[in-house]
């Protein structure tokens, strides 16, 4: 951030005649050039964090003077000033200041919104016994809130509190996740109103610039936002139809369009990579590192020097350590070494890049890494958490070079039971780098094929691979026996040419080479979590809370509808049994997705509450510090504990104390948010290029055929999902081959007469692409 802009903003707020202004007005008051607007935003955020300014309900920045009331004080004061009705029954009491998030459906249904409480239990404590996880509200009561905004609301039950639901409603009529049951009755019993917008999610908006006469507008790419924003500022080098970036300015009333100010022109949608740059701006991902971070990173060498290798580091450079990663990977976090023990069993060494040796707490690199939270893997690029000379250089465990690691050394008996664990800093020199494809090929070799290899070093490494899978296969079997859920989904890789044009879509096979590395990372993470927890050291954990029983009951009804007999799904053994039953069936993907939607999202927390999906009491993230900040924090905790146990004062002196519990909880929330933000950006770029690829297919004479699964049958046609990648679409009734079709509502089938063909959910079909609506992200298929 420019200190000049920061100082100018401070000076403006210090003027005696200053009146609250929004960001656009501040920009004009300071006479900022368009390129300086991002620096203004950064300055305002800094001043907000310092507690010098705040944003009022209209989006204007006001000064917090000494003795000013806090938001909580103002809310409390407002509540005290409000006249109370003379008589108020318990059911009519209005609950104030409840925090949560506003969600809008797509723009064609913007007359309503949904409020999701930050803490659903808080609503129950207030006596609001909700049957679902969201409340419907009218748009006119959202007070200018946009999709994803954090808000405070007031809630009042408008109907009689004792009113019962109408009889005859079956559980099968429950709507999908995010919508409560009995939507048309119970939801309307609540009067929900936004009283304050706490934080805007879409402060920056990406969309298409339109010009009609003297009116300039922006059509946002995000369908949950209003269809049109009025542009109060337009850059001179923009053309109608260009993709642009704008800053949100204000939204005074739902009856008028919200306002935004253009800050950057990305270019024509036809230009290569403009679509990906748009996603980067949409999710506020960083395009480059701050200058101070680059300067700090440049001081780190590209090789390990002899004077860096402290006596406490174990030397593993002559051991058969190797890596297994994707063929196009550049940042290698992890390496393994497997040794057979006398009397049976194995010693597994999981070596993880010792990023904490190079990135110390409080440095510019550390602050930026914490801010980013994680690396983001878009379809055509990586936005790394660390500068490239660290992530792809000195921290990456490349073959044939010395690298610092933090290792988990785990001893297992011949049955795969963990007998002993220890943790240490080490130095390695990886003997071999395998791609997953190479490792899988070697794992398929017979003993004779290994003996016949001309390269004896390669033969020896191949034996290590087989030894590793011997252990991993036992660990994998035991994990599922202990209740871990197998919810693997097919992954796809979109192949781009040098111009950023998608030329192919390939399915990524999840074979035993992937499973082997996964099992080793899981046991290392589990061992580290147990060690930090047993030592009562404040740390970060990867948690996955138990699912809501009501959601599992809803999912049970879905399984019953598909003809599967299931018991109490709050017992993981019942879920495992169902997953075994559906494996390989036509409806496997449909039911797996349904189960996934019934489960809570994994997150980071300072509270070691366990991992439901993995069936582990202790779990953390330790194995990817190059790309996840949580792992870097855990490394620091582990480093300090190891120093304390070894009484290594030199080592301890170099180790900065890790944050206390409360601060770690705050970090955990932040990096959980950045992880979700990155995941959405990654999915967006995948979806954009997938649709671009499908559009190209419609222009080819020899159309590619896809395996697809019928997911639903309606009078208008059948909905299908491509089996090799997550892409859904519709085969319209009129586009289906041969004769008339009759829809059976009871059986949910479409039956053709010539020839006689029956389509129902779960059927496998061959399809080709007929039409693609990129804007609505809809695909029409034809039956091949």
């Amino acid at each position: 951030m420019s200190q000049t802009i920061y100082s100018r903003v401070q000076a403006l707020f210090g003027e005696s005649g200053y009146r609250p202004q929004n960001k656009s007005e501040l920009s004009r008051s300071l006479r900022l050039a368009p390129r300086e607007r991002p620096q203004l935003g950064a300055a305002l955020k800094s001043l907000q964090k310092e507690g010098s300014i705040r944003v009022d309900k209209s989006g204007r920045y006001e000064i917090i003077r000494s003795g000013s009331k806090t938001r909580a004080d103002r809310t409390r004061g407002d509540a005290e000033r409000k006249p109370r009705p003379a008589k108020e029954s318990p059911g009519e009491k209005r609950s104030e200041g409840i925090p949560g998030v506003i969600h809008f459906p797509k723009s064609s249904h913007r007359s309503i919104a949904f409020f999701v409480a930050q803490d659903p239990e808080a609503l129950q404590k207030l006596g609001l016994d909700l049957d679902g996880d969201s409340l419907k509200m009218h748009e006119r009561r959202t007070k200018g809130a946009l999709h994803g905004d954090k808000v405070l609301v007031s809630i009042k039950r408008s109907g009689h509190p004792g009113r019962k639901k109408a009889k005859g409603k079956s559980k099968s009529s429950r709507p999908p996740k995010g919508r409560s049951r009995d939507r048309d009755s119970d939801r309307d019993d609540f009067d929900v109103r936004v009283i304050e917008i706490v934080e805007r999610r879409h402060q920056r908006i990406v969309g298409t610039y339109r010009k009609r006469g003297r009116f300039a507008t922006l059509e946002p790419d995000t369908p949950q936002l209003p269809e049109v924003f009025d542009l109060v500022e337009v850059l001179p080098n923009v053309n109608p139809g260009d993709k642009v970036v704008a800053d949100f300015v204000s939204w005074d009333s739902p009856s008028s369009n919200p306002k935004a100010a253009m800050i950057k022109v990305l270019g024509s949608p036809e230009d290569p990579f403009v679509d990906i740059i748009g996603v980067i701006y949409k999710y506020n991902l960083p395009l480059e590192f701050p200058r101070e971070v680059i300067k700090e990173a440049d001081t780190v060498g590209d090789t390990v020097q002899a004077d860096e290798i402290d006596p406490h580091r174990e030397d593993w450079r002559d051991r058969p350590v190797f890596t297994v990663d994707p063929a196009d990977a550049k940042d290698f976090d992890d390496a393994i070494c497997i040794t057979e023990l006398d009397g049976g069993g194995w010693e597994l060494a999981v070596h993880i890049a010792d990023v904490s040796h190079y990135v110390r707490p409080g440095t510019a690199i550390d602050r930026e890494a914490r801010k980013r939270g994680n690396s983001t893997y878009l379809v055509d690029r990586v936005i790394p958490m660390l500068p490239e000379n660290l992530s792809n250089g000195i921290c990456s465990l490349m073959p044939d070079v010395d690298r610092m690691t933090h290792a988990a050394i785990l001893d297992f008996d011949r049955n795969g039971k963990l007998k002993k664990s220890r943790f240490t800093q080490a130095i390695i020199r990886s003997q071999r780098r395998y791609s997953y494809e190479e490792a899988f090929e070697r794992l398929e070799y017979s003993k004779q094929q290994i003996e016949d290899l001309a390269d004896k070093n390669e033969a020896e490494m191949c034996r290590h691979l087989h030894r590793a899978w011997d252990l991993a296969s036992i660990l994998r079997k035991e994990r599922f026996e202990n209740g871990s859920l197998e919810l693997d989904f097919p992954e796809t890789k979109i192949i781009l040419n040098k111009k950023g044009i998608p030329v192919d879509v390939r399915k990524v096979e999840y074979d035993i080479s992937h499973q082997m590395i996964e099992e080793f990372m899981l046991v290392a993470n589990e061992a580290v979590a147990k060690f930090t927890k047993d030592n009562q050291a404040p740390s970060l954990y990867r948690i996955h809370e138990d699912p809501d029983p009501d959601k599992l009951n809803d999912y049970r009804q879905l399984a019953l509808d598909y003809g599967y007999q299931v018991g109490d799904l709050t017992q993981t053994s019942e879920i495992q049994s169902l997953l075994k039953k559906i494996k390989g069936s036509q409806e496997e993907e449909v039911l797996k997705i349904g189960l996934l939607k019934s489960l809570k999202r994994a997150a980071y927390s300072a509270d070691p509450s366990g991992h439901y999906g993995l069936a582990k009491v202790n779990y953390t993230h330790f194995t990817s510090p190059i790309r996840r900040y949580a792992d870097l924090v855990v490394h620091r905790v582990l480093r300090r504990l190891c120093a304390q146990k070894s009484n290594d004062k030199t080592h301890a002196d170099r180790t900065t104390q890790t944050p206390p519990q409360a601060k770690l909880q705050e970090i955990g929330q932040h990096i959980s948010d950045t992880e979700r933000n990155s995941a959405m950006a990654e999915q967006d770029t995948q979806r954009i290029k997938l649709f671009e690829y499908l559009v190209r297919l419609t222009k080819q004479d020899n159309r590619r055929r896809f395996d697809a699964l019928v997911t639903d049958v309606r009078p208008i046609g059948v909905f299908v999902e491509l089996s090799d990648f997550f892409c859904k679409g519709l085969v319209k009734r009129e586009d289906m081959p041969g004769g008339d079709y009759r829809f059976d509502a009871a059986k949910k089938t479409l039956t053709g007469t010539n020839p006689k063909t029956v389509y129902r959910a779960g059927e496998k079909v061959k399809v080709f692409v007929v039409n693609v609506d990129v804007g609505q992200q809809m695909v029409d298929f034809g039956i091949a």
Side-chain angles (χ1 to χ4, degrees):
M1 173 175 52
S2 168
Q3 187 62 34
T4 304
I5 299 294
Y6 182 88
S7 302
R8 288 166 64 187
V9 173
Q10 269 192 319
L12 178 62
F13 286 138
E15 293 177 3
S16 58
Y18 173 78
R19 292 186 177 183
Q21 301 176 38
N22 61 36
K23 192 178 292 185
S24 180
E25 293 166 338
L26 287 170
S27 178
R28 287 193 289 272
S29 296
L30 294 167
R31 298 185 179 182
L32 298 181
R35 66 177 182 278
E36 295 174 309
R37 286 184 63 89
Q39 298 171 37
L40 170 63
L44 292 171
K45 285 182 180 178
S46 295
L47 289 167
Q48 281 181 272
K49 288 181 179 179
E50 293 169 10
S52 303
I53 62 172
R54 61 186 167 216
V55 186
D56 66 16
K57 298 174 184 178
S58 63
R60 289 177 168 80
Y61 292 84
E62 59 185 27
I63 305 163
I64 299 177
R65 305 198 184 275
S66 178
S68 293
K69 292 182 179 181
T70 64
R71 181 172 65 228
D73 291 332
R74 295 199 314 276
T75 303
R76 193 159 47 243
D78 290 343
E80 290 169 357
R81 287 192 297 272
K82 287 182 181 177
R84 297 178 67 86
K87 291 183 179 181
E88 186 180 60
S89 68
E92 295 174 336
K93 185 176 181 180
R94 179 170 289 280
S95 303
E96 300 281 357
I98 301 171
V101 178
I102 289 289
H103 292 279
F104 280 92
K106 291 187 177 181
S107 54
S108 58
H109 302 92
R110 282 193 55 85
S111 60
I112 60 170
F114 295 93
F115 170 75
V116 179
Q118 180 178 307
D119 181 10
E121 292 183 3
L123 296 179
Q124 296 175 4
K125 291 176 183 177
L126 293 169
L128 298 172
D129 187 14
L130 303 185
D131 192 9
D133 55 6
S134 66
L135 282 172
K136 185 171 69 174
M137 59 190 301
H138 294 287
E139 184 190 29
R140 64 179 178 270
R141 292 174 180 166
T142 59
K143 206 170 186 177
L146 299 173
H147 177 71
D149 285 354
K150 294 180 180 179
V151 297
L152 296 177
V153 304
S154 68
I155 301 176
K156 175 184 175 183
R157 183 183 281 276
S158 55
H160 190 280
R163 194 179 79 175
K164 295 180 180 180
K165 295 181 196 176
K167 294 182 180 180
K169 296 265 185 179
S170 69
K171 288 186 178 179
S172 60
S173 65
R174 293 178 181 178
K177 180 181 178 182
R179 305 202 174 184
S180 62
R181 288 169 273 169
D182 241 357
R183 181 177 65 181
D184 295 331
S185 58
D186 278 3
R187 280 207 185 193
D188 290 332
D189 286 349
F190 295 99
D191 175 12
V192 187
R193 304 182 183 206
V194 172
I195 58 176
E196 183 175 345
I197 298 169
V198 177
E199 182 181 335
R200 292 281 185 188
R201 176 182 171 188
H202 292 278
Q203 190 65 46
R204 186 152 290 173
I205 304 153
V206 177
T208 304
Y209 168 62
R210 303 295 185 194
K211 183 87 161 81
R212 294 179 182 175
R214 58 191 180 88
F215 295 104
T217 60
L218 173 73
E219 296 176 0
D221 289 347
T222 304
Q224 290 86 357
L225 293 178
E227 292 180 340
V228 176
F229 282 72
D230 291 337
L231 288 170
V232 297
E233 289 185 21
V234 178
L235 298 178
N237 59 329
V238 66
N239 297 309
D242 279 353
K243 285 289 180 185
V244 300
V245 183
D247 272 350
F248 174 81
V249 174
S250 65
W251 194 10
D252 299 326
S253 168
S255 61
S256 62
N257 293 333
K259 295 178 175 59
M262 191 185 299
I263 63 166
K264 189 173 182 64
V265 179
L266 301 180
S268 169
E270 305 301 322
D271 293 344
F273 304 112
V274 163
D275 46 7
I276 304 300
I277 296 295
V279 171
I280 291 172
Y281 276 97
K282 175 182 175 181
Y283 289 98
N284 202 28
L285 298 172
L287 279 167
E288 56 188 25
F289 285 96
R291 188 177 303 172
E292 60 176 340
V293 173
I294 297 297
K295 184 178 179 181
E296 202 170 87
D298 286 343
T299 64
V300 180
D302 56 1
T303 58
V304 176
Q305 302 300 315
D307 58 1
E308 287 186 82
I309 307 172
D310 295 328
H312 71 274
R313 274 193 190 274
E314 294 186 13
D315 194 339
W316 285 65
R317 285 176 289 186
D318 61 346
R319 304 283 294 273
V321 178
F322 61 93
T323 62
V324 184
D325 289 281
D328 57 354
K330 294 180 180 178
D331 53 347
F332 309 132
D333 282 288
D334 54 88
I336 61 171
C337 181
I338 187 89
T339 307
E340 289 184 336
L341 297 174
D342 294 338
W346 301 266
E347 178 195 75
L348 169 66
V350 178
H351 287 273
I352 306 299
D354 191 359
V355 177
S356 63
H357 177 78
Y358 299 99
V359 181
R360 300 299 173 86
T363 59
I365 297 175
D366 178 57
R367 292 195 302 272
E368 183 66 17
R370 181 190 295 188
K371 179 181 175 182
R372 296 185 178 211
N374 47 264
S375 297
T376 305
Y377 293 82
L378 305 181
V379 70
D380 69 333
R381 73 194 73 195
V382 177
I383 298 177
M385 185 182 78
L386 300 173
E388 187 175 1
N389 63 327
L390 274 75
S391 60
N392 295 356
I394 192 64
C395 293
S396 185
L397 307 184
M398 297 179 287
D400 304 320
V401 292
D402 291 352
R403 288 293 183 260
M404 304 284 200
T405 69
H406 205 146
I409 317 298
L410 312 173
D411 286 1
F412 297 89
D413 65 18
R414 65 182 65 201
N415 297 315
K417 300 295 183 184
L418 181 63
K419 308 303 291 183
K420 184 174 66 174
S421 63
R422 65 184 182 89
F423 309 94
T424 183
Q425 273 79 51
I427 182 168
I428 68 166
R429 182 176 295 163
S430 175
Q431 305 293 310
R432 177 75 156 85
R433 185 224 160 171
Y434 287 103
S435 68
Y436 281 117
E437 293 79 6
E438 288 174 326
F440 178 69
E441 181 185 353
R442 299 297 191 274
L443 285 168
E444 291 286 284
Y445 280 8
S446 66
K447 289 184 178 180
Q448 189 58 52
Q449 285 175 304
I450 296 174
E451 295 301 323
D452 292 342
L453 286 172
D455 187 336
K456 297 308 175 185
N457 287 331
E458 181 64 19
E460 184 58 27
M461 294 305 298
C462 195
R463 293 187 190 97
H464 285 296
L465 268 176
H466 280 254
R467 194 175 297 131
W469 175 242
D470 288 343
L471 172 59
S473 60
I474 294 174
L475 295 176
R476 186 172 178 82
K477 180 182 178 182
E478 182 184 25
R479 178 162 65 88
F480 290 122
E481 287 177 351
N482 289 337
S484 183
L485 302 180
E486 189 170 7
L487 286 171
D488 297 327
F489 286 91
E491 293 185 24
T492 59
K493 185 175 180 62
I494 299 176
I495 309 301
L496 308 180
N497 64 17
K498 292 181 180 180
K499 295 182 179 179
I501 298 171
V503 295
D504 196 10
V505 178
R506 299 174 187 168
K507 186 176 181 179
V508 177
E509 297 295 338
Y510 187 74
D511 55 44
I512 60 174
S513 65
H514 296 77
Q515 295 168 16
M516 176 182 72
I517 297 302
E518 179 189 28
E519 293 307 319
F520 291 161
M521 298 306 109
L522 290 175
V523 293
N525 286 333
E526 184 179 18
V528 171
K530 186 177 187 305
F531 182 70
T532 57
K533 179 180 172 181
D534 288 349
N535 283 276
Q536 299 182 341
S539 186
L540 279 175
Y541 297 88
R542 184 66 169 178
I543 66 166
H544 187 210
E545 296 178 321
D546 290 356
D548 186 330
D550 284 344
K551 290 181 184 288
L552 289 179
N553 286 333
D554 287 345
Y555 174 68
R556 179 178 181 273
Q557 184 61 50
L558 176 66
L560 289 171
D561 289 344
Y562 275 94
Y564 288 93
Q565 295 301 313
V566 289
D568 180 8
L569 292 183
T570 60
Q571 305 296 317
T572 54
S573 58
E574 281 294 324
I575 297 180
Q576 285 183 311
S577 176
L578 176 61
L579 289 173
K580 288 178 182 177
K581 290 177 184 177
I582 66 175
K583 194 175 182 75
S585 69
Q586 293 178 334
E587 55 273 5
E588 179 181 8
E589 284 187 35
V590 176
L591 288 174
K592 271 190 173 182
I593 292 171
L595 176 57
L596 198 62
K597 290 179 178 179
S598 302
L599 304 180
K600 294 184 179 180
R601 181 178 292 274
Y604 294 104
S605 174
D607 178 22
S609 56
H611 198 291
Y612 173 82
L614 294 173
K616 292 187 181 295
V617 176
N618 305 299
Y619 197 67
T620 189
H621 271 170
F622 158 76
T623 53
S624 294
I626 290 176
R627 61 186 180 90
R628 294 189 304 226
Y629 192 76
D631 304 54
L632 177 54
V633 171
V634 171
H635 274 235
R636 290 169 178 162
V637 175
L638 197 58
R639 188 186 192 106
R640 180 164 58 87
L641 287 175
C642 290
Q644 290 172 351
K645 287 188 174 295
S646 63
N647 292 317
D648 186 345
K649 293 184 179 180
T650 304
H651 185 197
D653 289 343
R654 296 192 301 103
T655 306
T656 305
Q657 289 288 321
T658 50
Q661 184 91 354
K663 185 64 176 177
L664 284 170
Q665 190 63 31
E666 179 186 317
I667 293 172
Q669 179 61 57
H670 168 69
I671 60 180
S672 295
D673 291 342
T674 62
E675 177 187 59
R676 179 167 172 75
N677 188 64
S678 292
M680 291 189 295
E682 291 164 0
Q683 291 167 6
D684 267 16
T685 60
Q686 287 276 342
R687 197 177 296 113
I688 285 169
K689 290 303 179 182
L690 173 59
F691 275 85
E692 189 178 329
Y693 175 70
L694 295 176
V695 169
R696 293 183 71 238
L697 291 183
T698 64
K699 300 175 182 177
Q700 296 177 359
D701 294 331
N702 185 18
R703 293 182 174 180
R704 177 176 172 180
R705 297 183 177 190
F706 297 94
D707 292 322
L709 183 74
V710 176
T711 58
D712 197 8
V713 178
R714 303 282 180 87
I716 59 171
V718 298
F719 288 89
V720 299
E721 181 175 0
L722 303 190
S723 301
D724 286 345
F725 41 92
F726 293 123
C727 176
K728 297 180 179 180
L730 171 67
V731 181
K732 294 179 179 177
R733 191 167 179 168
E734 58 266 28
D735 293 336
M736 299 175 72
D740 296 328
Y741 282 83
R742 180 173 55 85
F743 176 69
D744 187 324
K747 297 180 180 178
K748 295 207 75 175
T749 60
L750 268 175
T751 304
T753 58
N754 186 25
K756 186 171 182 178
T757 310
V758 180
Y759 294 101
R760 58 172 60 87
E763 296 284 339
K764 292 183 178 179
V765 293
K766 289 274 189 181
V767 299
F768 60 89
V769 181
V770 174
N771 183 54
V772 181
D773 185 333
V774 176
Q776 293 296 319
Q777 294 192 342
M778 297 289 291
V779 186
D780 291 335
F781 292 104
I783 301 289

